[in-house]
Amino acid sequence: MLDPGQKRRRILVVEDEPMVAMSIEMLLEFAGFESAGIAATVEEALKLAAQGGYDAAILDANLAGVFSGPVAEALGAAGAPFLILSGYDSEQQRERFPPGTVILQKPCRPDAIIEALRAFLPAD
């Protein structure tokens, strides 16, 4: 639960499937986070990433058939922690993203997403 004086962490959601994106937003809200916006394409994600205003990101590895690597690079350059959600085998994805990147294979347990975010964003 969120303490009354505690800042809600803002999470950028990069996901091309509208129902999945909405489910992630609801999960974030339930867990005490706040959505910093949803991007469904690499272009939208790069624009939102450049604007800032988020503490971490959840990034789909494949956005409508386009590899989301440029978004991961932009997030990394900004120093923003992120995790990858992928419908592909996570071992195949490991070589596509920086070492140490958290990769969760879809479908994944909602608590796995929240646990990963909390590991990135320890309480103040």
Side-chain angles (χ1 to χ4, degrees), residues 8-123:
R8 291 173 64 95
R9 301 298 185 126
R10 295 177 47 84
I11 311 299
L12 177 60
V13 178
V14 182
E15 170 60 59
D16 61 335
E17 294 292 334
M19 293 302 291
V20 174
M22 288 176 20
S23 295
I24 291 171
E25 273 195 320
M26 289 181 354
L27 172 66
L28 292 172
E29 184 70 26
F30 180 77
F33 294 98
E34 182 179 332
S35 173
I38 295 176
T41 66
V42 168
E43 293 78 19
E44 290 173 358
L46 289 172
K47 198 177 292 184
L48 285 177
Q51 290 174 0
Y54 55 90
D55 298 295
I58 298 172
L59 176 59
D60 187 350
N62 182 336
L63 300 170
V66 177
F67 175 57
S68 61
V71 181
E73 289 175 15
L75 292 167
F82 63 92
L83 65 88
I84 301 293
L85 290 179
S86 177
Y88 299 99
D89 183 305
S90 61
E91 289 308 311
Q92 292 174 330
Q93 295 299 313
R94 295 225 179 271
E95 55 198 50
R96 301 183 86 188
F97 292 100
T101 300
V102 174
I103 300 174
L104 301 175
Q105 189 168 354
K106 292 179 186 178
C108 67
R109 297 180 344 266
D111 61 318
I113 295 171
I114 299 306
E115 287 171 14
L117 289 173
R118 288 190 174 139
F120 292 151
L121 303 169

